[in-house]
Amino acid sequence: MNFQSIVGRIRTALIFVALHIITTVLPSQAGPLLTEKLAYSEVTVQNPQDPEFSSFWKDELNDVDWVGPRGVKVYRRWFFNADGRRLLVTMLSAGVACGIRECPVRIQTELGQRVLETMACDQPDLHEISIDRLSFVACGVPHAIPQAGPRDSFETRDVRNYSHNGSILRASFYKSGAVRIEYDELRKGLPPELRGAVLFQGGMDKRGTVVGTAYTFKSGCSPAPYAVQGRLGRKGELTLLGDAPIRDGRTCDVLGFAPGSPNARLTFVDIGWDD
């Protein structure tokens, strides 16, 4: 074997070693995970019957100090997972339930199925979701979100936040064309049990025409349904029209339906996307 052949083999071996180092070492030296803030909704909870507590944390009742100086707060935010599901992340901030620097965090599906449960830093302003929607990140610490299927394999398309009569509503749009609008943050004066109530459910065609059933609410009564229709505007705005129920002032009875009812025209203003 001549000198040039030996040099050639050494060069090839060095190239192989260098490639091996690049493929095995560099991934562990990758740049920071790209994330975006969750921007939680924050609710101060006064008692165990509050829907924000009973809906997500009622099993933690014995681990909550209701009179302690920390108080009891629930943080929550909806977002889309990488597989297309709409998931809810919620954190409980309360004495006993939280440690010195960490509080319990849960991620669940729309139907309440638990996806992830962990302890995370107690600074909600530093909670984020990775851009690829594969990780929940708290104070820089990533927590992998279990996936139920391949990317975009589920039917949820997007969620919009609507302003309606001083309240914030969450509108869910699905690839099937189904639409659901429910109360998310209530204006002053509305009963707390209205949070999460469905105001409209129906469908939307490819032209943006929305048709379905809206509901009016009266304390102590079942929601009263009525037919409405409208059209989704270019800026996401939505107006639904339909003869609305007229209730008996003393009972839950519906006396009839009228176009002049305050609920005959429902106006929703798009205030941004819910990530």
Side-chain angles (χ1 to χ4, degrees), residues 208-223:
T209 301
V210 179
V211 178
T213 303
Y215 300 87
T216 62
F217 302 90
K218 181 179 180 180
S219 181
C221 302
S222 299

Side-chain angles (χ1 to χ4, degrees), residues 7-208:
V7 171
R9 290 194 176 190
I10 293 174
R11 183 184 296 115
T12 300
L14 290 174
I15 292 173
F16 175 81
V17 171
L19 288 174
H20 178 73
I21 292 174
I22 290 173
T23 56
T24 57
V25 176
L26 285 186
S28 64
Q29 299 176 346
L33 189 65
L34 296 178
T35 60
E36 58 186 48
K37 288 189 177 297
L38 276 170
Y40 284 116
S41 296
E42 174 187 338
V43 176
T44 299
V45 179
Q46 303 295 337
N47 57 68
Q49 287 72 45
D50 190 298
E52 291 294 336
F53 182 84
S54 62
S55 297
F56 313 121
W57 295 102
K58 61 183 178 181
D59 58 310
E60 294 288 332
L61 177 61
N62 294 331
D63 289 328
V64 171
D65 181 1
W66 292 96
V67 297
R70 182 178 191 135
V72 181
K73 294 183 179 180
V74 173
Y75 298 85
R76 64 185 180 92
R77 183 69 172 179
W78 290 93
F79 70 96
F80 282 111
N81 202 21
D83 58 28
R85 287 178 297 171
R86 186 166 67 105
L87 302 180
L88 175 73
V89 55
T90 175
M91 183 181 84
L92 173 64
S93 176
V96 183
C98 292
I100 297 176
R101 295 186 179 88
E102 293 184 319
C103 288
V105 171
R106 290 172 175 171
I107 296 179
Q108 65 183 49
T109 68
E110 291 181 281
L111 299 179
Q113 180 181 6
R114 198 76 53 80
V115 173
L116 174 68
E117 183 162 13
T118 187
M119 295 292 290
C121 75
D122 61 357
Q123 302 176 57
D125 289 345
L126 298 180
H127 286 197
E128 302 169 309
I129 290 292
S130 63
I131 295 297
D132 60 14
R133 294 298 192 270
L134 294 172
S135 299
F136 162 71
V137 184
C139 295
V141 179
H143 303 260
I145 302 171
Q147 305 296 300
R151 182 175 290 275
D152 297 328
S153 58
F154 285 79
E155 292 300 312
T156 313
R157 189 180 72 185
D158 63 62
V159 175
R160 302 184 183 189
N161 283 338
Y162 279 130
S163 173
H164 172 70
N165 290 342
S167 296
I168 304 299
L169 291 94
R170 184 174 62 249
S172 304
F173 294 82
Y174 297 85
K175 294 178 182 178
S176 64
V179 180
R180 186 178 65 186
I181 302 176
E182 57 197 61
Y183 282 98
D184 190 22
E185 298 179 20
L186 303 176
R187 73 171 190 269
K188 283 187 176 181
L190 292 182
E193 60 267 22
L194 199 57
R195 184 178 291 116
V198 176
L199 179 60
F200 169 82
Q201 57 185 358
M204 182 175 68
D205 63 21
K206 294 180 179 180
R207 296 174 296 177

